[in-house]
Amino acid sequence: RGYGTAVTAPCIFSAGDHLGMAQIVSRIGLELDGQTGSSLDAAKDAWLNAAEWQGVRRLIEDTFVERDWFQLYVAQTLAVNGVLLDFVYRHADAAWGAAAIPVAMLTEFMADWRAEESKWSDHVVKTVAAESDANKALISGWAKTWIDRAEEAAGPLAAALLGDASAAKAAADTARARARSLGLTL
């Protein structure tokens, strides 16, 4: 729902990257379960029913219905990508135990992707926030709200996977520092 190719084209590329990441994760699951699909069924059941996933699920579902395209942009780039992806691909390795190194190798694209994506997404946020004090205040409020929500959503998942929520807080603190580096006040 963005306006102009300068906004919509990079967002479409980002959406394509997210689809590719989902396909990589699905392929890993299929390899682990001998191509039966049982891992995908278990993942779907966890997404729909496991208590530790419900905060993340609600956060993602709320982004589906956000009508303001730039608030959604801020939510996606600073909170979902900035907190949830950082948590999953940088802080949750311990949850894999002995498989941590192979999983890290298989998901290297996802861990590295964020640095590439942020080259354009951060610039957009920084430029719009610098446009006026009103923009800066509005975007700062959105960033705070969505980053806080992402931290809250990731907390139960971090506790279930790692035994405490500190990794979710670390990922959110990194996202907050990044937001501040873009000129936002949190």
Side-chain angles (χ1 to χ4, degrees):
R1 292 185 294 261
Y3 295 98
T5 303
V7 171
T8 57
C11 289
I12 291 297
F13 283 117
S14 181
D17 288 342
H18 279 86
L19 179 60
M21 287 185 252
Q23 289 172 334
I24 290 169
V25 170
S26 296
R27 291 298 308 160
I28 292 169
L30 289 169
E31 286 298 323
L32 292 173
D33 73 15
Q35 306 296 321
T36 66
S38 63
S39 64
L40 302 181
D41 292 337
K44 179 181 176 183
D45 183 61
W47 178 256
L48 293 174
N49 299 307
E52 63 270 17
W53 281 100
Q54 297 315 298
V56 174
R57 180 177 166 207
R58 179 177 177 158
L59 177 74
I60 298 303
E61 289 175 351
D62 286 350
T63 67
F64 292 163
V65 297
E66 176 53 54
R67 298 299 300 166
D68 185 294
W69 71 269
F70 200 75
Q71 182 173 179
L72 177 59
Y73 182 88
V74 169
Q76 183 68 47
T77 60
L78 295 179
V80 174
N81 295 346
V83 178
L84 296 181
L85 289 184
D86 187 55
F87 164 68
V88 169
Y89 295 112
R90 298 202 186 278
H91 295 282
D93 287 351
W96 290 100
I101 291 175
V103 168
M105 290 171 58
L106 292 169
T107 60
E108 183 176 9
F109 170 76
M110 288 83 114
D112 294 345
W113 174 83
R114 184 71 184 111
E116 288 299 315
E117 183 269 344
S118 68
K119 288 177 184 175
W120 66 269
S121 66
D122 287 359
H123 184 71
V124 170
V125 171
K126 186 175 187 175
T127 300
V128 174
E131 183 75 23
S132 69
D133 289 340
N135 278 8
K136 180 179 178 179
L138 182 62
I139 296 167
S140 294
W142 288 341
K144 180 180 180 347
T145 297
W146 287 101
I147 291 170
D148 289 352
R149 287 195 59 200
E151 178 183 6
E152 182 182 333
L157 189 57
L161 295 174
L162 304 170
D164 69 61
S166 63
K169 181 175 181 353
D173 287 345
T174 299
R176 288 182 187 100
R178 191 164 131 252
R180 284 191 290 276
S181 78
L182 303 176
L184 303 180
T185 53
L186 302 181

